[in-house]
Amino acid sequence: MNKAGIAAGTLALLVGAGSAGAWYTGTRLEAVLQDSVRKGNEQLAAQFPGSDMALELVEFKRGILSSEARYRLALPATDSAELPVELFIKDRIEHGPLPLSRLASLRWMPVMAVSHAELEPSDALAGLFAASRAQAPVMVNSSIGYRNDITGDIRIAPMVVNEDGTELTFSGLDADFATDTQGSKVVMTGRVDSLKIQGLAQIDMVGGEFELDRRREGEYGLYLGDGRLTLDSLAMEVADGPVMVLQDIVQTDSTTLGTEGVKGALNYQVGAVSYGGQSLGSVRMDWSLSRLDPAATAVLAGMYNTLSMGLEPNDPQALEEQFTTAMQQLLERKPRVALDNLSIRTANGESRFTLGVDLSQPASFDLPPAMLAQQLIGGLDANLTLSKPMLSDMVRYKALFQPDADAAAVEQEALMLAEMAAGMAEMMQLGTLEGDNILSNLRYADGLIDLNGQSIPLEDFIGMLAMLSPDTSLEALK
């Protein structure tokens, strides 16, 4: 499905960078399409560096009211054991200013052209076309205005896949988008009604929606802006056992560029978790990144795009060297990575945890692990609020996961564990008790640990942790 994802993105790119200029009639159209392909390849090279992806106009037929174009998208192999793949895209281009399809739908605003692009059947996509019951798996319709604005929709067909005793049923995807011929912005909204996987386990996802608003700003070609993904519910069942259900799932992200560099935020929230019909609680997690060098961020983002699609870089050694250089440049600005909030709420309590790490550039990446970590981490701060009632609730869940467990014994264990945790935290000076909460805060800088206001040399702190976890390899870090 990665190749289908690349193809879907390429179709949108083809429309965006592609049908550019779009209606020069007669003999000028083919030259305009060739220029569009060139721009498309420039964007592919920027978004998937080192991957050798390439788009080519292989056929053009000019007509009076519409023309037809055919493109080839060359995808490199995902590993050395595979051969490169070629995908073909056909595009029917209606001539402006009043294409027939717009007149038929009572849209009278003049446009330069309307494009109807879709994947063609091929050996590489045989399974995908079989899953979509011979429909084009990916289709893009778009209108190109006289101000180089582009609006349209992307459709991924419903699919059913059966493989190795597992059946995947996908309702399809419908999305509307707006962009321009320069690819300077991408605004998109879409929905997936359902995705079901049935096999040894059953997974049901219902009501997925997404919003995307990205603008390419600055000299580095970074796309900045906001994104949002929601899911009504995700249900998981194994071997006819109780069903785990996650509801009201929300993911949001935001990226900005300022005088201190690139800042990013990523937030996750699960509004309700239940097991076998019994409520467990809710979870929220908020991450942030700041002081990121924009040039290095652009390089690393491109590498991530290439590798996340499973594409094999044409020169792994050069990519590794580029990664090292970008990381050094990134660390020069002393970036900060922070878990701004991890909160777990149950029926009777809520626990919270925060962690911030300030990074520094080490003398070398070839240092021993302990020394590298010491130089890489310029500072650290962490805060924990551990709710005793929440701890007890977590132990009580044992009765849900182990129905044969003795209820009275589980309740006694739940209360005992919370008191033991509080007593141990105070005895080891790892935390203080305030009401029903165990509080702990830790700061690290310049080789010293400040734990709840008490300064401790780093080696002594590592030794303390080793005493608590004798089976770990913490002693090796001393």
Side-chain angles (χ1 to χ4, degrees):
M1 296 296 289
N2 278 344
K3 293 183 174 62
I6 295 172
T10 303
L11 284 174
L13 179 65
L14 175 63
V15 175
S19 304
W23 195 245
Y24 294 95
T25 56
T27 58
R28 298 195 62 181
L29 177 59
E30 186 172 2
V32 169
L33 292 179
Q34 291 285 12
D35 184 60
S36 300
V37 168
R38 178 186 60 78
K39 291 179 181 177
N41 282 325
E42 289 175 355
Q43 291 193 35
L44 288 174
Q47 297 300 315
F48 302 94
S51 67
D52 281 347
M53 292 177 64
L55 190 64
E56 178 186 2
L57 176 65
V58 294
E59 188 177 348
F60 176 76
K61 295 180 180 179
R62 186 170 59 250
I64 297 175
L65 296 179
S66 65
S67 298
E68 294 182 0
R70 188 168 184 254
Y71 309 90
R72 176 170 55 226
L73 174 64
L75 300 178
T78 55
D79 58 58
S80 57
E82 291 189 3
L83 296 175
V85 174
E86 291 184 339
L87 303 181
F88 289 90
I89 302 162
K90 62 181 179 182
D91 188 6
R92 182 171 65 86
I93 307 167
E94 296 183 77
H95 304 176
L98 295 173
L100 293 178
S101 64
R102 289 180 62 85
L103 291 176
S105 58
L106 302 179
R107 289 175 291 176
W108 306 100
M109 184 66 69
V111 295
M112 289 192 291
V114 171
S115 167
H116 308 278
E118 63 182 52
L119 285 173
E120 288 186 2
S122 65
D123 291 342
L125 297 178
L128 205 57
F129 272 84
S132 62
R133 301 182 181 181
Q135 301 182 65
V138 182
M139 294 171 283
V140 178
N141 298 300
S142 57
S143 299
I144 301 92
Y146 285 98
R147 295 183 178 180
N148 294 329
D149 56 302
I150 301 171
T151 58
D153 61 84
I154 298 175
R155 182 174 183 269
I156 298 179
M159 298 184 191
V160 178
V161 178
N162 287 283
E163 187 174 337
D164 299 330
T166 298
E167 181 178 88
L168 181 149
T169 305
F170 176 56
S171 66
L173 178 146
D174 290 291
D176 297 321
F177 69 89
T179 181
D180 57 39
T181 58
Q182 302 302 315
S184 62
K185 68 173 184 178
V186 179
V187 179
M188 185 177 294
T189 60
R191 178 176 175 85
V192 174
D193 288 331
S194 64
L195 173 65
K196 178 180 288 188
I197 302 173
Q198 291 179 295
L200 296 176
Q202 180 169 313
I203 300 174
D204 287 295
M205 290 183 282
V206 177
E209 296 186 353
F210 64 89
E211 302 173 10
L212 187 69
D213 190 342
R214 296 280 195 266
R215 314 279 167 161
R216 190 170 60 191
E217 299 180 17
E219 59 185 294
Y220 308 104
L222 286 169
Y223 280 92
L224 309 173
D226 304 318
R228 179 181 176 87
L229 174 66
T230 63
L231 189 63
D232 290 344
S233 68
L234 171 62
M236 296 166 284
E237 179 182 357
V238 179
D240 296 324
V243 180
M244 173 79 78
V245 180
L246 284 64
Q247 293 178 293
D248 301 328
I249 302 170
V250 180
Q251 174 190 311
T252 61
D253 67 82
S254 177
T255 310
T256 59
L257 176 61
T259 55
E260 292 189 350
V262 177
K263 293 179 63 176
L266 184 62
N267 309 307
Y268 299 94
Q269 180 175 326
V270 181
V273 182
S274 64
Y275 182 77
Q278 299 294 313
S279 175
L280 301 184
S282 61
V283 180
R284 182 180 177 92
M285 183 166 56
D286 302 320
W287 290 91
S288 67
L289 297 166
S290 56
R291 302 195 299 264
L292 301 181
D293 181 84
T297 301
V299 171
L300 294 172
M303 292 181 184
Y304 173 80
N305 290 341
T306 299
L307 298 176
S308 65
M309 284 296 185
L311 302 175
E312 184 171 307
N314 51 19
D315 190 341
Q317 180 63 33
L319 194 68
E320 184 177 345
E321 293 174 358
Q322 191 179 21
F323 173 81
T324 301
T325 300
M327 283 300 299
Q328 290 173 338
Q329 185 175 350
L330 191 76
L331 292 171
E332 283 179 2
R333 290 187 84 123
K334 300 185 183 302
R336 180 175 174 83
V337 182
L339 174 58
D340 296 308
N341 175 48
L342 172 60
S343 59
I344 301 174
R345 179 187 292 272
T346 63
N348 295 298
E350 180 181 18
S351 294
R352 297 180 301 277
F353 177 68
T354 67
L355 172 66
V357 180
D358 295 306
L359 300 176
S360 299
Q361 185 176 13
S364 170
F365 286 106
D366 297 325
L367 295 171
M371 189 176 295
L372 177 62
Q374 205 165 358
Q375 292 191 15
L376 188 62
I377 299 175
L380 180 149
D381 55 87
N383 295 277
L384 174 66
T385 300
L386 189 59
S387 166
K388 289 167 57 181
M390 190 220 72
L391 278 178
S392 296
D393 283 342
M394 299 289 281
V395 176
R396 291 185 184 104
Y397 295 155
K398 181 179 179 179
L400 295 176
F401 297 108
Q402 300 178 15
D404 296 334
D406 181 83
V410 170
E411 179 64 23
Q412 184 178 5
E413 182 182 351
L415 298 175
M416 185 182 302
L417 179 65
E419 295 303 326
M420 286 179 59
M424 181 173 292
E426 287 193 307
M427 181 181 67
M428 299 293 296
Q429 297 183 328
L430 295 176
T432 58
L433 193 60
E434 185 176 290
D436 283 335
N437 293 323
I438 304 167
L439 306 181
S440 181
N441 60 78
L442 181 147
R443 304 287 181 271
Y444 166 74
D446 301 324
L448 286 176
I449 294 287
D450 183 302
L451 179 61
N452 301 316
Q454 179 184 1
S455 294
I456 305 173
L458 179 61
E459 292 184 357
D460 291 350
F461 180 73
I462 292 175
M464 182 188 302
L465 294 181
M467 289 173 59
L468 293 173
S469 304
D471 294 332
T472 69
S473 57
L474 287 169
E475 287 289 338
L477 299 176
K478 297 174 71 177

